[in-house]
Amino acid sequence: ALSAEGLKQAKLVGKYLKNIFEDVDHIYHGTTDECKATAKIISKALRDPKTKVGPATIESDLFDEVLPVVPSPAPEGFEGVDPKELAADAHKAECLFHGMAWGPTPK
């Protein structure tokens, strides 16, 4: 489940994306419960006002391999993660993003 802060952030991301993109067909996410919940909230924010249908959410374990930043507050066990270790994963995350994301048509 998302924390109160995570819920707030997911809703804000959904609003932001709704304001800048005309149409989003898919939302790709990792396999954790937090990823699934975030994708569902964002999809709801991006619903078509007429059909009330949001973009499809697609789970992929490819998104589970990288941790470009430690969330705040840090989950148990992540408090002491070395920033250099995160930097190494940041490149993987960037490559994954470019391989899985296509620029939608702006409004």
Side-chain angles (χ1 to χ4, degrees):
L2 292 175
S3 66
E5 185 69 18
L7 181 61
K8 178 182 170 186
Q9 290 172 346
K11 288 179 179 179
L12 288 171
V13 168
K15 281 184 177 182
Y16 174 76
L17 294 174
K18 181 75 171 175
N19 286 327
I20 63 170
F21 296 124
E22 180 83 22
D23 189 31
V24 176
D25 295 324
H26 301 89
I27 298 171
Y28 293 90
H29 61 85
T31 60
T32 66
D33 291 339
E34 290 83 2
C35 291
K36 293 173 191 177
T38 301
K40 186 176 178 179
I41 290 166
I42 293 171
S43 178
K44 185 176 179 180
L46 297 173
R47 290 185 300 202
D48 180 292
K50 293 178 185 174
T51 65
K52 303 292 186 200
V53 175
T57 57
I58 300 173
E59 184 176 305
S60 173
D61 62 358
L62 291 173
F63 290 99
D64 294 342
E65 294 185 18
V66 295
L67 182 67
V69 295
V70 174
S72 179
E76 186 176 320
F78 283 92
E79 298 89 354
V81 174
D82 182 356
K84 290 179 185 176
E85 187 178 338
L86 292 177
D89 276 349
H91 176 71
K92 290 186 218 172
E94 185 71 19
C95 291
L96 179 62
F97 174 77
H98 288 289
M100 300 293 282
W102 296 268
T105 306
K107 282 186 176 178

